[in-house]
Amino acid sequence: MGEALVAGRLAGGPTEHRMHRNFSHRATLLALALLGAASGCATAGKPQELPRWPLPPEKARVKFVRSFYNEDQLRKGFALGAMRLFVPASPDAEVKQPTGLALSPDEKILFVSCASASRVLRVDLAKGRMGVFATEEGKRPSSPFGVAVDGAGNVFVSDTAQNAIWVYGPGGEFLRRFGTDRLDRPAGLALDRRRQLLYVVAGSGVRSEAHRVEVFSLGGDHVRTIGKRGAGPGEFNFPANLTVAKDGSLYVVDMLNFRVQIFDPEGQLAGMFGTIGAGQPGTFDKAKSVALDTFGNVYVVDSQQGWVQVFNPKFQPLMAFGGRFKATGYFLLPTDIVIDSKNTIYVADFAKGTVNEYQLVDTTAEDSFLPAEPAGPAAPPSGTPGPPSSPGR
């Protein structure tokens, strides 16, 4: 679809309302993402401002915090230089084409799976340390794709090469492996800590007809199967990733049906949203992952469009952030997302080999809901601003 995207009012949606003033529909779509970077470019003698969405005069809702791919991005300054004299950084402790993210129960540890590099990284966000997790020979995944963490801190990793789920203790000690009798190319993972259930996207290979979600107990017992390959309600065409809401609802990114489907805790279809498209609110090209903030807003990562769209709990599009550019704070190929209890947002970028951190700011629950508006045609979106000029990894 390229980088020339649109800004303005939402086609077919509300045109004047609180969200237009606050959470701002003008932030929907990459145009504002691009303008945000352009306006944040450093001028001579002035420090560069970090990207934020939307632009003034609208109130900022999402701010870029930092991007990291190794320990040096987590620990900067003199202390880092002194430490490196005695403790060189491990070349393996680096993010490489990340595919999965998960947070520990205390949200101090971020786990990053890197399938092509055959590694899972343990990122200590509080101490600024990064290391390879679960390294015992013969007891580690060959192609770790998805990752999830239970309430005790045990780490679950999907292995697309060995068709298995590996389970490790908080320190990386091997506990068990399961699923080889049922799984085919397991990918995205989501864990319901309250109900002690693990959801696994499985069977999404090109030649597979079994695109589905498998549900296991945390001990590895199979509970149920959700869906099959198809385009009908409750069916999947290359499901990519999933997440569990506070009430136990399961959100599944149905990538090539261009939608997100929602299931209740018993596996029954409860709703869906999204349609095929590029550059318009509520449309997906290659949606890859999904997460929810503390207000129940739904964040959908679209790798092809290169942004994260935000929907309210009624699945109305609110805004988008990011954009497909090399500039700092933007994406080339975003893949996974996780959000903590303080609405800190982490997004994995496969092509850049980084994790981007953002913060939801100055937002309340009422900012998510749109007041009713009389029916009438909406103004067409317009505007194609240019790309940002600030370089970034």
Side-chain angles (χ1 to χ4, degrees):
M1 52 161 267
E3 288 85 358
L5 297 177
V6 295
R9 296 175 177 175
L10 294 179
T15 57
E16 297 293 339
H17 41 58
R18 184 188 305 114
M19 295 305 301
H20 186 74
R21 296 191 300 273
N22 294 337
F23 220 156
S24 180
H25 277 100
R26 280 181 285 171
T28 21
L29 307 190
L30 191 52
L32 278 187
L34 308 183
L35 285 173
S39 67
C41 291
T43 57
K46 293 183 179 181
Q48 177 182 330
E49 295 181 5
L50 295 178
R52 42 143 293 180
W53 297 267
L55 284 179
E58 306 292 347
K59 182 187 294 186
R61 300 297 178 172
V62 174
K63 292 184 177 182
F64 172 71
V65 178
R66 61 178 174 173
S67 179
F68 58 87
Y69 60 91
N70 63 21
E71 195 172 274
D72 289 355
Q73 273 72 52
L74 298 170
R75 299 167 64 96
K76 295 183 177 180
F78 176 80
L80 171 63
M83 182 186 72
R84 284 287 170 256
L85 291 175
F86 303 98
V87 186
S90 168
D92 293 330
E94 184 171 301
V95 177
K96 294 285 189 180
Q97 297 181 325
T99 54
L101 301 173
L103 286 164
S104 62
D106 63 6
E107 300 179 339
K108 294 180 180 180
I109 307 297
L110 177 70
F111 293 92
V112 184
S113 59
C114 306
S116 64
S118 301
R119 72 180 65 142
V120 176
L121 298 175
R122 181 183 185 274
V123 181
D124 191 322
L125 299 167
K127 297 180 180 179
R129 302 298 303 270
M130 183 184 297
V132 181
F133 182 77
T135 59
E136 186 177 354
E137 192 65 37
K139 295 183 178 179
R140 61 187 182 191
S142 302
S143 184
F145 192 96
V147 61
V149 187
D150 69 13
N154 299 315
V155 182
F156 295 71
V157 181
S158 62
D159 189 336
T160 59
Q162 299 188 45
N163 296 325
I165 303 298
W166 298 78
V167 189
Y168 303 92
E173 64 277 15
F174 171 76
L175 299 179
R176 58 188 173 276
R177 191 179 79 154
F178 63 85
T180 54
D181 60 335
R182 184 174 292 273
L183 294 176
D184 173 25
R185 294 186 60 81
L189 298 182
L191 198 145
D192 186 336
R193 292 175 181 172
R194 178 181 174 186
R195 294 169 180 80
Q196 299 285 285
L197 294 175
L198 180 73
Y199 294 93
V200 184
V201 170
S204 293
V206 175
R207 291 179 293 274
S208 175
E209 291 299 321
H211 297 196
R212 63 193 186 275
V213 174
E214 298 288 6
V215 189
F216 295 89
S217 71
L218 301 192
D221 296 323
H222 186 256
V223 176
R224 69 176 69 94
T225 298
I226 300 175
K228 62 179 181 178
R229 190 165 193 180
E235 298 176 340
F236 303 114
N237 189 22
F238 287 90
N241 222 315
L242 25 61
T243 195
V244 178
K246 291 180 180 179
D247 65 358
S249 298
L250 177 70
Y251 289 68
V252 184
V253 175
D254 189 4
M255 184 172 66
L256 293 189
N257 280 326
F258 309 99
R259 64 192 180 189
V260 174
Q261 299 198 70
I262 303 97
F263 299 84
D264 68 20
E266 301 304 317
Q268 299 301 308
L269 183 65
M272 66 181 74
F273 67 95
T275 186
I276 185 172
Q280 296 292 329
T283 65
F284 302 130
D285 195 338
K286 282 188 172 61
K288 287 286 189 178
S289 189
V290 60
L292 285 82
D293 66 20
T294 60
F295 304 115
N297 298 314
V298 186
Y299 295 61
V300 182
V301 174
D302 193 313
S303 64
Q304 187 64 29
Q305 301 194 74
W307 64 43
V308 179
Q309 286 195 70
V310 186
F311 300 81
N312 69 13
K314 295 183 178 181
F315 313 131
Q316 298 167 308
L318 299 177
M319 63 173 289
F321 66 91
R324 203 168 184 182
F325 293 99
K326 292 183 179 180
T328 299
Y330 295 79
F331 307 115
L332 289 182
L333 196 69
T335 48
D336 199 14
I337 183 171
V338 66
I339 303 174
D340 71 12
S341 62
K342 296 180 180 179
N343 291 321
T344 304
I345 305 159
Y346 301 93
V347 183
D349 191 319
F350 183 89
K352 280 190 176 182
T354 63
V355 176
N356 284 3
E357 180 180 333
Y358 304 85
Q359 185 65 52
L360 183 68
V361 295
D362 295 329
T363 299
T364 64
E366 71 172 5
D367 291 319
S368 299
F369 294 95
L370 312 181
E373 178 182 294
S382 60
T384 54
S389 58
S390 56
R393 186 178 191 271

